[in-house]
Amino acid sequence: MFGRIVKMTSNIAFDLSTNVLRNQTRTTISSNSAAVNSFLVLHRQITTNTTTETSSTSLPVIEPLITSRHFPRPPLIETPQTWIETLNTVQDTKLGLVDLHPDVFATEPRLDILHQNVRWQQSYKRISFAKAKSRAEKRGGGRKPWRQKGTGRARHGSLRSPIFKGGGKAHGPRGPQSYWYVLPTETRAKGMRIMLSIKHAQDDLHIVDFLDLPSSDPEYLVDIAKERCWGSSVLFVDSKPLEEMPKNFINAINCVKSYNVMTLEGLNVYSMLKHKTLVLTLDVVDKLEERLCYYENCFKNKYQQQLKSIILSQDLS
């Protein structure tokens, strides 16, 4: 884990030795990250007073805050961690470390589950407009081609029969046809956990404090992605609706075609696969963990009850 962290932050002058870690403050936070949010609000107030809207000077040096969170940890599974970053500067400034839930960000990869999610997302919005005319919809063919008996040929009643050239189509497409179907909630939730775990394992998952930008210039956002090696396509996710997101951020991202933003309710497997880098806010991480863990526990309890009922029925028999 530390090897991956050192690789991500090779250009950051942080000393992660034991002596420095002993001097840093370790704060225990609840599931809603109240302590981290208060620290980040204080950090943003300090930076807004020292920087202007158009300048891209570096922030004052603040020691990272190493945080831990209370949630049930499965045994024999290492708790994943990631850096908390900020968008106030072009430089890759780290605000601290945060623990992630291993059931959400350390799930075993399953390509078949991802394939089911992607196929479902591509199919439920597909509509086929192909349509072929039947013998009843073809023009003509009302007269009997020849008499019933006496010609030695097979009996027919219309030249628009499917066996004739120019006739109607038998069992052809009768569009518009929808390919919508329902994918089980368990498969959708598991696909989200697998995709988040893959993004974290590939160092393509980044967590920021807020989506505030000091400038609405799109080049500023491009410079951030270039400085931090985010790739050509980036997906930003926030818990706020689009109308309440920072105006500088919305104006900047509208001018970059390969950068997209969506709310937490719209996050899906296909969008995460489509983009190289996934950028989440702290609020999104909290709500994602709460929702995905809820679904996992629901189905886990359901299977446990089914197994218990099967065992009891075998014992009674």
Short mmCIF file of all heavy atoms in Angstrom, two decimals, residues 10 20 40 57-58 75-76 103 106 110 112 117 127 148 162 173 218 221 224 229 279-280 289-290:
data_model
loop_
_atom_site.label_atom_id
_atom_site.label_comp_id
_atom_site.label_asym_id
_atom_site.label_seq_id
_atom_site.Cartn_x
_atom_site.Cartn_y
_atom_site.Cartn_z
N SER A 10 5.42 11.04 -5.98
CA SER A 10 6.87 11.13 -6.13
C SER A 10 7.34 12.57 -6.22
O SER A 10 8.51 12.86 -5.93
CB SER A 10 7.30 10.36 -7.38
OG SER A 10 6.65 10.88 -8.51
N VAL A 20 8.05 12.06 12.07
CA VAL A 20 7.06 13.03 11.62
C VAL A 20 5.65 12.53 11.91
O VAL A 20 4.77 13.27 12.31
CB VAL A 20 7.24 13.32 10.13
CG1 VAL A 20 6.14 14.24 9.62
CG2 VAL A 20 8.60 13.96 9.89
N LEU A 40 -11.06 20.82 6.66
CA LEU A 40 -11.00 21.30 5.28
C LEU A 40 -11.62 22.68 5.14
O LEU A 40 -11.16 23.49 4.34
CB LEU A 40 -11.69 20.30 4.36
CG LEU A 40 -11.04 18.92 4.30
CD1 LEU A 40 -11.86 17.98 3.43
CD2 LEU A 40 -9.63 19.01 3.77
N THR A 57 -0.45 30.72 -7.23
CA THR A 57 0.69 30.54 -6.35
C THR A 57 0.42 29.40 -5.39
O THR A 57 -0.72 29.01 -5.15
CB THR A 57 0.95 31.83 -5.56
OG1 THR A 57 -0.25 32.17 -4.83
CG2 THR A 57 1.32 32.98 -6.51
N SER A 58 1.47 28.86 -4.81
CA SER A 58 1.36 27.69 -3.94
C SER A 58 0.76 28.09 -2.60
O SER A 58 0.88 29.23 -2.14
CB SER A 58 2.74 27.07 -3.72
OG SER A 58 3.61 28.01 -3.12
N PRO A 75 -12.10 -9.19 9.09
CA PRO A 75 -10.80 -9.69 9.54
C PRO A 75 -9.90 -10.07 8.37
O PRO A 75 -10.36 -10.44 7.30
CB PRO A 75 -11.18 -10.92 10.37
CG PRO A 75 -12.51 -11.35 9.84
CD PRO A 75 -13.20 -10.09 9.42
N LEU A 76 -8.60 -9.93 8.59
CA LEU A 76 -7.56 -10.34 7.65
C LEU A 76 -7.61 -9.56 6.33
O LEU A 76 -7.13 -10.03 5.31
CB LEU A 76 -7.65 -11.85 7.35
CG LEU A 76 -7.60 -12.79 8.56
CD1 LEU A 76 -7.74 -14.22 8.12
CD2 LEU A 76 -6.32 -12.59 9.36
N ASP A 103 -14.98 -3.14 2.21
CA ASP A 103 -16.06 -3.81 1.47
C ASP A 103 -16.46 -3.05 0.22
O ASP A 103 -17.11 -3.61 -0.67
CB ASP A 103 -17.28 -3.98 2.38
CG ASP A 103 -17.05 -5.03 3.44
OD1 ASP A 103 -16.11 -5.84 3.28
OD2 ASP A 103 -17.80 -5.04 4.44
N ALA A 106 -12.13 -2.40 -1.69
CA ALA A 106 -11.19 -3.52 -1.74
C ALA A 106 -11.93 -4.81 -2.05
O ALA A 106 -11.72 -5.84 -1.42
CB ALA A 106 -10.41 -3.64 -0.43
N ARG A 110 -14.54 -8.85 -10.53
CA ARG A 110 -15.35 -9.83 -11.27
C ARG A 110 -15.72 -9.22 -12.61
O ARG A 110 -16.57 -8.34 -12.70
CB ARG A 110 -16.62 -10.16 -10.48
CG ARG A 110 -16.41 -11.00 -9.23
CD ARG A 110 -16.38 -12.47 -9.57
NE ARG A 110 -17.58 -12.88 -10.26
CZ ARG A 110 -18.70 -13.25 -9.65
NH1 ARG A 110 -18.78 -13.25 -8.34
NH2 ARG A 110 -19.76 -13.64 -10.37
N ASP A 112 -17.23 -10.63 -15.08
CA ASP A 112 -18.57 -11.01 -15.52
C ASP A 112 -19.63 -10.07 -14.96
O ASP A 112 -20.60 -9.72 -15.65
CB ASP A 112 -18.86 -12.45 -15.12
CG ASP A 112 -18.72 -12.67 -13.62
OD1 ASP A 112 -17.89 -11.99 -13.00
OD2 ASP A 112 -19.45 -13.51 -13.06
N ASN A 117 -23.34 -5.37 -16.07
CA ASN A 117 -23.75 -3.98 -15.85
C ASN A 117 -23.64 -3.16 -17.13
O ASN A 117 -24.53 -2.37 -17.46
CB ASN A 117 -22.89 -3.36 -14.75
CG ASN A 117 -23.37 -3.69 -13.36
OD1 ASN A 117 -24.15 -2.95 -12.76
ND2 ASN A 117 -22.92 -4.82 -12.83
N ILE A 127 -33.51 1.34 -28.61
CA ILE A 127 -34.81 1.15 -29.25
C ILE A 127 -34.57 0.89 -30.73
O ILE A 127 -33.89 1.66 -31.41
CB ILE A 127 -35.72 2.39 -29.07
CG1 ILE A 127 -36.02 2.62 -27.59
CG2 ILE A 127 -37.02 2.21 -29.84
CD1 ILE A 127 -36.87 3.84 -27.32
N GLN A 148 -58.29 -21.80 -59.21
CA GLN A 148 -57.94 -22.79 -58.20
C GLN A 148 -57.55 -24.13 -58.81
O GLN A 148 -56.57 -24.73 -58.40
CB GLN A 148 -59.14 -22.97 -57.24
CG GLN A 148 -58.89 -23.91 -56.08
CD GLN A 148 -58.13 -23.25 -54.94
OE1 GLN A 148 -57.76 -22.10 -55.06
NE2 GLN A 148 -57.90 -23.99 -53.88
N PRO A 162 -45.44 -14.28 -48.89
CA PRO A 162 -44.00 -14.22 -48.63
C PRO A 162 -43.15 -15.08 -49.55
O PRO A 162 -41.95 -14.84 -49.68
CB PRO A 162 -43.89 -14.70 -47.17
CG PRO A 162 -45.21 -14.40 -46.56
CD PRO A 162 -46.21 -14.60 -47.67
N PRO A 173 -39.11 -7.84 -38.57
CA PRO A 173 -39.09 -6.91 -37.42
C PRO A 173 -40.31 -6.02 -37.44
O PRO A 173 -40.73 -5.53 -38.50
CB PRO A 173 -37.81 -6.11 -37.64
CG PRO A 173 -37.51 -6.23 -39.10
CD PRO A 173 -38.01 -7.58 -39.51
N PRO A 218 -10.64 27.37 -18.25
CA PRO A 218 -10.53 25.90 -18.46
C PRO A 218 -9.09 25.42 -18.49
O PRO A 218 -8.83 24.25 -18.18
CB PRO A 218 -11.24 25.68 -19.79
CG PRO A 218 -11.25 27.00 -20.46
CD PRO A 218 -11.32 28.02 -19.38
N LEU A 221 -7.99 23.99 -15.15
CA LEU A 221 -8.39 22.61 -14.90
C LEU A 221 -7.55 21.63 -15.71
O LEU A 221 -7.20 20.55 -15.22
CB LEU A 221 -9.87 22.44 -15.23
CG LEU A 221 -10.61 21.24 -14.63
CD1 LEU A 221 -10.52 21.26 -13.12
CD2 LEU A 221 -12.06 21.25 -15.08
N ILE A 224 -4.20 21.23 -14.00
CA ILE A 224 -4.27 20.35 -12.82
C ILE A 224 -4.19 18.89 -13.24
O ILE A 224 -3.44 18.09 -12.66
CB ILE A 224 -5.58 20.63 -12.05
CG1 ILE A 224 -5.51 22.00 -11.36
CG2 ILE A 224 -5.83 19.54 -11.01
CD1 ILE A 224 -6.77 22.34 -10.61
N CYS A 229 -1.17 13.94 -13.61
CA CYS A 229 -1.21 12.73 -14.45
C CYS A 229 -2.58 12.05 -14.37
O CYS A 229 -2.67 10.83 -14.15
CB CYS A 229 -0.09 11.77 -14.07
SG CYS A 229 1.56 12.45 -14.21
N VAL A 279 -12.75 11.34 -9.87
CA VAL A 279 -12.49 12.29 -8.79
C VAL A 279 -13.77 12.42 -7.97
O VAL A 279 -14.82 12.81 -8.49
CB VAL A 279 -12.06 13.66 -9.34
CG1 VAL A 279 -11.79 14.64 -8.20
CG2 VAL A 279 -10.81 13.52 -10.21
N LEU A 280 -13.68 12.08 -6.69
CA LEU A 280 -14.82 12.14 -5.77
C LEU A 280 -14.55 13.16 -4.67
O LEU A 280 -13.40 13.41 -4.31
CB LEU A 280 -15.08 10.77 -5.14
CG LEU A 280 -15.20 9.55 -6.06
CD1 LEU A 280 -15.37 8.29 -5.23
CD2 LEU A 280 -16.36 9.72 -7.02
N GLU A 289 -20.28 4.77 0.56
CA GLU A 289 -20.03 3.67 1.49
C GLU A 289 -21.28 3.29 2.25
O GLU A 289 -21.58 2.10 2.44
CB GLU A 289 -18.91 4.07 2.45
CG GLU A 289 -17.53 4.17 1.82
CD GLU A 289 -16.47 4.55 2.82
OE1 GLU A 289 -16.85 4.95 3.94
OE2 GLU A 289 -15.27 4.47 2.48
N GLU A 290 -22.04 4.29 2.68
CA GLU A 290 -23.26 4.00 3.43
C GLU A 290 -24.27 3.23 2.58
O GLU A 290 -24.87 2.25 3.03
CB GLU A 290 -23.87 5.32 3.93
CG GLU A 290 -25.15 5.14 4.73
CD GLU A 290 -25.73 6.47 5.17
OE1 GLU A 290 -25.15 7.52 4.83
OE2 GLU A 290 -26.79 6.45 5.83
#
